[in-house]
Amino acid sequence: MTTDPRPLRPGRPKPWNDPRVRSVVFQILAIAGVAWVGYTLFHNTVSNMESRGISTGFGFLNETAGFGIIMSLIPYNETMSYGQTFLVGLMNTLLVSGLGILLATIVGFVVGIARLSSNWLVAKVALAYIEVFRNIPLLLQIFFWYFAVLGALPGPRQAVNVGDIAFMSNRGIVLPKPVFEPGAWVMGTGLVIALATIVVLAIWARRRQAATGRIFPVLPIAVVLIPGLPLLGYLLTGGPVSWDVPSLGGFNFRGGITAIPELGALLLALTLYTASFIAEIVRSGIVSVDKGQTEAALALGLPARRVLRLVVIPQALRVIIPPLTSQYLNLTKNSSLAVAIGYPDLVNVFMGTTLNQTGQAVEIVAMTMAVYLTISLAISVLMNLYNRAVALKER
Amino acid sequence: MQQTETGLEPESVASPVESVARDEAIIQVDDLNKWFGDFHVLKSLNLDVRKGERIVICGPSGSGKSTFIRCINHLEAHQRGRITVDGVELNEDVKNIEAIRREVGMVFQHFNLFPHLSVLENCLLAPIWVRKTPRNEAIETGMHYLERVRIPDQAHKYPGQLSGGQQQRVAIARALCMQPKIMLFDEPTSALDPEMIKEVLDVMVELAGSGMTMLCVTHEMGFAKTVADRVIFMDGGEIVETAAPGDFFTNPQQPRTREFLEQILQH
């Protein structure tokens, strides 16, 4: 303060009225308060755990879990470790979040665009959908799908039979499972060749348009080629894929792939709930593009679909992306409501059963929080990168 | 996109009042009527525009002058009457509308540049996607017109980095890149700061000198005096008076025109 070149004014305020002194004092007080709370929490936890004889550390992850989990994407049984239950829960959380984000994005964009349709019925149906699903608590919706819809399906013996290959019952949805036999690699190769061709074609089409101005329809060709080549491979090699069709045996189905009703209910609820928010975000993004932009593009003679793709969507995206990111984060975090219907996600199997059995609260809560934090930050980083790519340059 | 009723097209008859021979006219407007809901915005407008003619349309706000020129490239649909541009009749056929829009450039009051594209890319978009011009050729044309509006050095900036006057000049260049036969101007200087109006008008005067057919809604009476072949005064959705600028400003025939001129020429 002594180096301050400004002359001291005669009427210098009293220390308690001086904003600089005040701000320093308040900061010291705030730091002291936070430190005290932190110390108390730490001390309290340590002394509580000592008095109950709980050991700290992550050694428990190697102990045998001893409980089964109804759905697992990786091999698991009750003789495996708590570390394995953590992985099972993590995979299940990632599965429902990933599928949820994908489906909610598709449904949200479709409904959001439908909301702007000039067709009265389409617009009103979209509006009704949004208002219903946006305004009912998510937990209630999960219960609705689980108990009222999927739970009301008949038992396996009276299952809804879809052409003798798929069945819907209160045990879940059973679908035929593809079994790849030798020779199936031809189909895989077909897919790879199709994708590579499309990439090469797209680059070539862009160069040719720059050179000659002629526009090449890459998209329709992609739509034909990507399913077409693998199908051709399938036919040429005489069908190297067989289907493991589920059949009723005893009280449940054997074979096939089973989507348990817990997964179905959670996925439906998360998708439809989040999609209603995404629909509004998409609508607001499109509406936010000034009408003058469309008019200017139309006045230049651009056809309506090119106006949308070249002028409106690029500008709408920059409005859509930031709130869309929030919705992705919400969906991922909301997937922890799985615990309410017993879908074995991370919170259910790890922070629920594992925590109950081991009592390692601090470690388990910290690990679970770290997982959600990591997933959320990863989504944010990806979306921010994308947002930077579409951002406007102004001044 | 509102769908409007098209019916009731009158028999093709020559417009009696115009002195212009019909085959010379690049734009023919016969008995043009338009309603917004119950509001009759355009009432039986008739106008023939010769190739290379420069027309200034003025009138009080709400008189329908902007709506009128927006009907010419079908940004607004008309409900009755007939508009023919460069031999193509405007109807609900998308192909016709797009064909006419390719030949009719438009400049808006609020510029409406595409903010996500650079100045040059603004000029390339339509030639590349509508005229299917090779990119290098489109860049050449783009730079040519940016030079004509005197801002080639801003080609790689974005619209948000330019002043209003510069943006409007880019908008003119963007329209010219399609090499249109007709240019429509919808109050091109109304949103500009006073010191930027001149730079835009200079470009427009130069364009008029090059023989471009121009329809210009504007309140710049100085521009009308120097450039226009005809001045049209509109009020209440009707064409009240059409005259050469000399007669229009010194000897207006209609009392409504005199009143309007007194209002705007006072200062």
Side-chain angles (χ1 to χ4, degrees), chain A residues 77-99:
Chain A
N77 61 50
E78 46 272 69
T79 63
M80 291 181 173
S81 67
Y82 288 123
Q84 198 75 6
T85 65
F86 171 77
L87 288 181
V88 171
L90 177 61
M91 299 289 282
N92 285 346
T93 290
L94 288 177
L95 174 74
V96 78
S97 307
L99 283 177

Side-chain angles (χ1 to χ4, degrees), chain A residues 7 74 89 103 112 153 174 192 235 307 311-312 338 361 395:
Chain A
I74 50 176
L103 295 175
L153 285 170
V174 200
V192 172
L235 294 174
V307 173
V311 175
V312 178
R395 255 170 244 282

Side-chain angles (χ1 to χ4, degrees), chain A residues 85-143:
Chain A
T85 65
F86 171 77
L87 288 181
V88 171
L90 177 61
M91 299 289 282
N92 285 346
T93 290
L94 288 177
L95 174 74
V96 78
S97 307
L99 283 177
I101 286 176
L102 184 69
L103 295 175
T105 307
I106 296 170
V107 176
F109 271 74
V110 170
V111 175
I113 291 167
R115 178 95 163 70
L116 293 170
S117 168
S118 56
N119 182 318
W120 186 88
L121 188 65
V122 169
K124 293 301 167 202
V125 167
L127 175 68
Y129 164 82
I130 290 168
E131 293 307 333
V132 167
F133 284 89
R134 197 166 62 143
N135 292 313
I136 293 175
L138 176 57
L139 187 58
L140 210 62
Q141 294 190 34
I142 294 175
F143 284 148

Side-chain angles (χ1 to χ4, degrees), chain A residues 278-354:
Chain A
I278 292 178
E280 282 296 86
I281 291 168
V282 168
R283 182 182 72 93
S284 68
I286 293 175
V287 170
S288 77
V289 179
D290 187 55
K291 220 171 120 245
Q293 293 288 311
T294 312
E295 287 182 349
L298 287 175
L300 286 165
L302 286 161
R305 69 199 154 85
R306 295 230 189 270
V307 173
L308 205 61
R309 191 171 88 59
L310 297 170
V311 175
V312 178
I313 289 177
Q315 295 185 59
L317 275 183
R318 82 201 151 94
V319 180
I320 291 173
I321 301 295
L324 188 63
T325 310
S326 299
Q327 290 307 322
Y328 288 173
L329 299 181
N330 278 349
L331 188 145
T332 308
K333 291 178 290 178
N334 286 340
S335 74
S336 61
L337 287 171
V339 74
I341 53 169
Y343 174 75
D345 83 322
L346 186 66
V347 172
N348 191 353
V349 299
F350 197 59
M351 245 180 85
T353 316
T354 305

Side-chain angles (χ1 to χ4, degrees), chain B residues 15 17-20 44-50 53-58 68 215 228-235 238-249 251-254 256-257 261:
Chain B
S15 163
V17 276
E18 292 301 330
S19 55
V20 185
S44 300
L45 302 187
N46 291 291
L47 176 72
D48 278 21
V49 181
R50 267 181 290 116
E53 200 178 11
R54 291 154 314 225
I55 291 181
V56 164
I57 303 171
C58 59
F68 177 34
L215 257 78
D229 296 313
R230 267 192 289 169
V231 180
I232 292 174
F233 174 68
M234 282 183 72
D235 189 24
E238 288 169 306
I239 293 180
V240 175
E241 185 159 356
T242 305
D247 298 332
F248 184 84
F249 290 107
N251 185 21
Q253 299 299 308
Q254 304 291 330
R256 186 70 194 86
T257 315
L261 287 174

